[in-house]
C-alpha cells in the first residue's frame, strides 16, 4: 500500500505525538509498506525533510505558547497537498487540525480512504492556556473534532481503551479500534543498585497536565523522603516552577538529595529507567503514555495516576501500581510500600518487562496495516 501520513510537525523534538509518528512510519516501512509524509519542515535545515514539505505557519499572539510546547504548525499549499493525496492509496491523519481538515477535503474529492489516530485530548491544548479544567471549551473542541474530523474518517486508532470509551460516550461514530502506538523492542539492560539513595524517576514534558507537583508534594508524606533521589526527565513550560518547588523541599529539609531535572535522549532514558527503583506517572491527561511504558520495558516498577481521561493506568498490573490522580498522600503510601518490600519490587520488575512485550510496535503495525487495508477495501 501507499500510505500518506499527515501531521503538522513530523520532526518535533521532545513531542510525544511526533516521536510516535516517526516510530510508526519507520516500522511500517520495515514491514514493507510504502509510506510518505506530508508535514511542515524540519527546523534543522541539515536534517531530513518530509516527502511533501509545507511552509511553517506562525500564529499571532499564541506562537510563544506553541513554541514552549515544542511544536509548530504547517501552512496548507493546495498544490502540494493534492499531489501527496493523489500518490496515496490511503491517507492517515495524525491530528484533528486545519491541515488535516483541508487534506481530508481533497482526499474525499479524489475518492481516497481516510483513517486517523486519536493522539491528544482537547485538555492537552487548553492546559497551556490555563483552561485545562474548564468543561465548556474542552467539550466544544471535542465536538468540533468529532464532527469536522473523526466522524469524517472511516477508521480511527484509539491507543487505549480509555480513549475509545470517551469517544463512544461522546458519540464518535467512526470504526474505533484499540491499537497501541507501540514500543520499539528493546532488551532490558537493567543494572540494579543496592545502595541508597533510592532512584525515583518521572519521565515526560514538564507541563501542568503532566503534574510533577503531586510527586514533589508526596515527598512531604513519605517516610523515605530523605533517602530518595528524584529525577525529572523532560523539559517544558513548567521547568522553572518545578525547579523552584524542588528547591523549596530541600530548603525545608524534606529532601536530602536535590531533585535532578534534564532532557535525555533515547539511550539516556533507557539507562535512566534501567537504574530506577520506581517510575512515577502523575499525568492527569494522557492518551497512552509511551514514556512510562518504555520505563517499564526496562524493569522500572510504575506508580500511575488514575483518572477519567488518562489511559495510562490500564498498564498497572495491580492496585499497588496506581493512585488516584493528585492524591499525594496515597502516592506517598504506595512509594513507601514498594521501598519497604524490596523482594516484591524485584519480583514485579520482570512482570512489567514481560507485560510490555504485549505492546511491541511490531504488533501495533500489524494491526494498523489491517486497518489501512480494511479502509481501502471499504471504498
Amino acid at each position: 500500500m501507499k500510505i500518506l501520513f499527515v501531521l503538522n510537525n513530523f520532526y518535533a523534538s521532545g513531542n510525544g505525538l511526533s516521536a510516535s509518528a516517526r516510530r510508526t512510519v519507520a516500522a511500517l516501512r520495515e514491514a514493507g509498506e510504502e509510506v510518505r509524509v506530508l508535514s511542515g519542515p524540519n527546523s534543522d535545515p541539515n536534517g531530513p525533510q518530509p516527502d511533501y514539505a509545507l511552509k511553517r505557519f506562525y500564529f499571532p499572539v499564541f506562537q510563544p505558547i506553541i513554541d514552549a510546547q515544542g511544536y509548530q504548525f504547517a501552512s496548507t499549499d493546495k498544490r502540494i497537498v493534492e499531489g501527496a493525496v493523489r500518490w496515496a492509496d490511503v491517507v492517515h491523519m495524525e491530528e484533528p487540525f486545519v491541515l488535516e481538515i483541508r487534506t481530508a477535503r481533497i482526499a474525499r474529492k479524489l475518492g481516497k480512504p481516510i483513517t486517523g489516530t486519536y493522539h491528544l485530548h482537547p485538555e492537552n491544548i487548553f492546559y497551556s492556556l490555563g483552561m485545562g479544567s474548564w468543561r465548556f471549551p474542552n467539550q466544544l473542541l471535542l465536538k468540533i473534532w468529532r464532527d469536522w474530523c473523526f466522524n469524517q474518517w472511516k477508521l480511527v486508532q484509539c491507543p487505549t481503551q480509555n480513549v475509545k470509551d470517551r469517544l463512544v460516550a461522546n458519540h464518535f461514530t467512526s470504526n474505533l479500534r484499540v491499537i497501541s502506538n507501540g514500543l520499539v523492542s528493546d532488551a532490558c539492560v537493567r543494572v540494579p543498585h543496592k545502595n541508597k539513595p533510592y532512584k525515583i524517576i518521572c519521565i515526560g514534558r514538564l507541563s501542568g497536565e503532566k503534574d510533577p507537583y503531586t510527586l514533589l508534594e508526596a515527598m512531604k508524606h513519605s517516610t523515605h523522603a530523605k533517602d530518595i533521589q528524584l529525577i525529572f526527565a523532560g523539559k517544558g513550560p513548567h521547568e522553572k516552577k518545578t525547579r523552584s518547588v524542588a528547591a523549596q523541599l530541600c530548603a525545608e529539609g524534606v529532601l536530602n538529595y536535590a531533585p535532578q531535572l534534564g532532557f535525555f535522549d533515547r539511550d539516556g532514558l533507557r539507562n535512566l529507567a534501567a537504574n530506577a527503583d520506581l517510575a512515577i506517572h502523575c499525568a492527569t491527561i494522557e492518551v497512552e503514555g509511551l514514556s512510562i511504558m518504555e520505563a517499564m520495558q526496562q524493569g522500572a516498577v510504575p506508580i500511575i495516576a488514575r483518572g477519567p481521561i488518562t489511559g495510562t493506568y490500564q498498564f498497572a498490573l495491580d492496585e499497588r501500581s496506581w493512585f488516584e490522580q493528585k492524591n499525594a498522600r496515597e502516592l506517598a503510601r504506595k512509594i513507601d510500600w514498594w521501598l519497604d518490600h524490596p523482594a516484591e519490587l524485584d519480583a514485579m520488575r520482570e512482570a512489567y518487562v514481560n507485560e510490555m512485550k504485549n505492546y511491541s510496535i511490531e504488533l501495533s503495525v500489524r494491526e494498523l496495516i489491517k486497518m489501512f487495508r480494511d479502509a481501502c477495501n471499504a471504498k
Side-chain angles (χ1 to χ4, degrees), residues 212-228:
Y213 311 113
T214 292
L215 175 54
L216 291 167
E217 180 67 20
M219 293 298 97
K220 296 179 181 179
H221 310 290
S222 170
T223 59
H224 292 286
K226 292 184 182 297
D227 293 320
I228 289 173

Side-chain angles (χ1 to χ4, degrees), residues 79-137:
R79 179 182 60 83
I80 294 174
V81 172
E82 186 168 326
V85 172
R86 284 187 182 279
W87 167 85
D89 293 322
V90 58
V91 180
H92 184 69
M93 309 298 186
E94 287 281 280
E95 305 153 325
F97 298 140
V98 172
L99 171 61
E100 286 76 15
I101 292 172
R102 291 180 175 174
T103 301
R105 189 178 301 148
I106 292 173
R108 285 194 295 272
K109 180 181 177 182
L110 296 175
K112 304 287 186 173
I114 305 167
T115 62
T117 297
Y118 188 94
H119 272 301
L120 75 163
H121 292 300
E123 289 84 353
N124 288 111
I125 296 172
F126 282 114
Y127 235 106
S128 302
L129 304 175
M131 298 186 294
S133 61
W134 293 19
R135 178 176 173 78
F136 175 74

